[in-house]
Amino acid sequence: MAGIYIHIPFCRQMCYYCDFHFSVSLKRKEELLQALLIEIETRNDYLKNEEIETIYFGGGTPSILKINELDQILELIYKLYSVSKNPEITLEANPDDLSIDYLNGLKQIGINRLSIGIQSFEDKHLKQLNRRHDAREAINSVKNSQEAGFNNINIDLIYGLPGLTNKNWEENLRNALNLSIQHISAYHLSIEHKTVLANFLKKGKIKQLEEKESLNQFNTLVKKTEEQGFLHYEISNFSKDGYFSKHNINYWLQEKYLGIGPSAHSYDYKTRRWNISNNAKYIELINKNESYSETEILSLSEKYNDYILTSLRTVWGADLEKISREFGKGFHDECLKEAEKYIISGQITDTNNRLIISKKGKFIADKIASDLFIVD
Ligand SMILES: C[S@@+](CC[C@H](N)C(=O)[O-])C[C@H]1O[C@@H](n2cnc3c(N)ncnc32)[C@H](O)[C@@H]1O
Ligand code: SF4
């Protein structure tokens, strides 16, 4: 099982919180598309003929591409890779791009999962984040998607925003849950270095939410989604039965993936590789047939730490047998030893040889994982 990720590094506007790789200048879109096609062609041995089960257009804003541009990419992948019979093909989309015509086009070229970046259903907060859409457009984008026949829809939401009260957040969740969607990804706002929000914070224009408030909002999220039949299958991800993101599960369980485009990462069990995060240089180097990426050979403990970090965030937890088998008895014993205090405090359960973070431990999952890390 393997997946392909394609990074579309363009956005129409810069959101104040975002530090993903993108450019708001679309001048080189055509050239970049050609470079993506070259990368798809030249790296087709990376996954060694493994069956491709998932294809994911992420960004940036993939919905900036025209239907025929997305189709060109998909056609080349189908031509050069062995794509499974029913792959999951996801497109991250911004609400303001989702007209009925565009959605019909997406459906026609085989996109079968949408991940819509809604972030908030409140105009005040959408403005605070410098989003292009308003709450009405957010709701309409989901309704249009459903009308076009999409039945596997995720929406992204952000909580923990400056000034967001628990009541506001509940209202956001009510809006989301009224939309009959299959999946919600809800992230706590992270104020990233060099973003506009970081600058606002420095100047005292905004205040970070208190940890107690953030925890309240996380608990509300877990409770409200659970009441509506969503399974909390990863710290930030909630899904109706059968609608997990296969592509992301692939990452969390450390299956192979090929990342295409500037800033995209790839993983082949042994190495991690990342492409240059600069559109102009990516285009130039690809055209000159020169290297545009760096590669790191992973040590056993790095692989183990990655596994702990991602698996502990999921409902399936960390598999102790797998740890013994793939990393050795030393890693297994050390892991159990470090986990003991959390087992005693009830923040981790040891169920059927799997370490699973309990409800009580979920909000501090990353801290727990880092305590279980092994440093060479
Ligand atoms: C890279 S974005 C791409 C999606 C699409 N461009 C959009 O914005 O609608 C993926 C998601 O990451 C989340 N995200 C990005 N930066 C974040 C931050 N600093 N804090 C919390 N969530 C963030 C947002 O929910 C966003 O929809
Ligand atoms: S959140 Fe999405 S639309 Fe906004 S800047 Fe980041 S990638 Fe672009």
Side-chain angles (χ1 to χ4, degrees):
M1 169 137 159
I4 299 183
Y5 172 83
I6 305 120
H7 190 80
I8 308 300
F10 298 107
C11 291
R12 296 187 205 279
Q13 186 167 301
M14 177 185 65
C15 304
Y16 286 167
Y17 54 88
C18 184
D19 80 338
F20 282 77
H21 170 65
F22 66 91
S23 158
V24 285
S25 160
L26 305 188
K27 263 201 321 244
R28 308 198 70 174
K29 195 176 87 160
E30 290 301 315
E31 281 174 274
L32 193 114
L33 178 64
Q34 291 314 312
L36 293 179
L37 296 173
I38 295 174
E39 187 178 4
I40 291 171
E41 191 158 354
T42 50
R43 292 187 65 205
N44 77 330
D45 63 343
Y46 186 82
L47 297 172
K48 307 261 183 283
N49 263 334
E50 259 190 66
E51 190 153 84
I52 308 299
E53 304 260 10
T54 65
I55 300 172
Y56 193 104
F57 290 93
T61 306
S63 52
I64 260 182
L65 292 191
K66 297 192 188 94
I67 297 297
N68 70 311
E69 293 171 330
L70 290 165
D71 196 28
Q72 244 181 307
I73 296 174
L74 283 176
E75 277 197 2
L76 191 63
I77 292 176
Y78 272 95
K79 189 171 144 206
L80 299 174
Y81 294 76
S82 44
V83 180
S84 74
K85 243 182 163 180
N86 291 306
E88 175 190 272
I89 310 184
T90 305
L91 182 99
E92 279 182 357
N94 286 34
D96 40 302
D97 291 325
L98 295 181
S99 66
I100 287 277
D101 275 356
Y102 189 71
L103 284 158
N104 286 335
L106 293 177
K107 194 92 193 130
Q108 260 168 22
I109 62 168
I111 304 289
N112 51 31
R113 183 172 184 273
L114 289 177
S115 177
I116 309 177
I118 285 183
Q119 324 307 353
S120 171
F121 288 100
E122 270 187 83
D123 289 344
K124 184 179 94 182
H125 289 290
L126 289 167
K127 275 212 180 96
Q128 178 191 50
L129 300 174
N130 201 34
R131 294 293 293 181
R132 280 186 90 224
H133 65 273
D134 60 20
R136 191 184 47 85
E137 271 179 297
I139 292 172
N140 285 344
S141 70
V142 176
K143 292 194 170 157
N144 286 349
S145 305
Q146 288 163 332
E147 216 168 284
F150 283 94
N151 57 7
N152 191 355
I153 300 175
N154 167 60
I155 65 168
D156 285 343
L157 293 176
I158 304 183
Y159 63 100
L161 297 171
L164 183 78
T165 62
N166 208 29
K167 200 157 158 265
N168 295 149
W169 178 232
E170 276 188 30
E171 189 53 37
N172 267 295
L173 289 171
R174 221 183 333 272
N175 273 305
L177 295 167
N178 273 340
L179 286 170
S180 309
I181 45 173
Q182 291 71 24
H183 196 287
I184 297 175
S185 298
Y187 306 102
H188 188 283
L189 175 72
S190 155
I191 300 193
E192 302 290 339
H193 190 52
K194 288 195 180 155
T195 57
V196 174
L197 283 193
N199 190 31
F200 284 173
L201 188 67
K202 208 165 88 191
K203 290 191 173 142
K205 285 191 182 171
I206 54 167
K207 238 176 80 191
Q208 242 164 335
L209 215 60
E210 304 242 335
E211 170 126 353
K212 192 174 79 212
E213 285 292 299
S214 292
L215 178 59
N216 254 342
Q217 292 178 14
F218 177 74
N219 288 336
T220 303
L221 167 69
V222 173
K223 181 164 170 273
K224 296 287 174 196
T225 49
E226 210 168 65
E227 280 169 8
Q228 296 295 318
F230 282 80
L231 181 69
H232 187 191
Y233 73 108
E234 198 268 350
I235 296 294
S236 309
N237 288 283
F238 303 81
S239 160
K240 285 278 168 82
D241 200 19
Y243 292 95
F244 298 149
S245 161
K246 290 187 191 145
H247 187 79
N248 287 335
I249 288 178
N250 225 2
Y251 292 149
W252 302 326
L253 301 185
Q254 304 199 311
E255 294 294 339
K256 280 184 172 186
Y257 55 88
L258 167 66
I260 300 287
S263 82
H265 285 225
S266 305
Y267 174 71
D268 66 356
Y269 299 136
K270 295 187 208 88
T271 62
R272 202 172 14 225
R273 178 191 140 130
W274 57 98
N275 288 351
I276 192 164
S277 297
N278 179 307
N279 291 358
K281 285 196 180 131
Y282 171 80
I283 295 168
E284 184 193 328
L285 292 167
I286 288 232
N287 287 327
K288 284 207 246 159
N289 202 12
E290 287 178 14
S291 168
Y292 49 90
S293 67
E294 285 181 66
T295 302
E296 175 189 25
I297 299 172
L298 295 167
S299 70
L300 199 59
S301 53
E302 281 168 326
K303 280 206 261 187
Y304 162 85
N305 292 344
D306 280 352
Y307 176 66
I308 289 292
L309 183 66
T310 51
S311 66
L312 276 184
R313 292 174 59 100
T314 71
V315 278
W316 305 286
D319 180 349
L320 287 166
E321 252 171 54
K322 177 185 161 96
I323 293 176
S324 243
R325 197 173 56 244
E326 293 184 10
F327 304 104
K329 190 165 177 321
F331 280 76
H332 169 275
D333 294 352
E334 185 68 19
C335 174
L336 259 185
K337 193 177 120 211
E338 292 299 324
E340 201 179 329
K341 66 171 183 275
Y342 294 114
I343 295 175
I344 292 170
S345 67
Q347 285 162 306
I348 288 186
T349 62
D350 183 353
T351 315
N352 297 328
N353 235 355
R354 283 175 177 274
L355 296 180
I356 299 173
I357 295 199
S358 69
K359 262 192 181 162
K360 233 171 117 184
K362 272 184 179 160
F363 194 65
I364 55 155
D366 289 351
K367 149 105 185 57
I368 296 179
S370 71
D371 278 354
L372 268 54
F373 283 175
I374 289 175
V375 187
D376 278 331

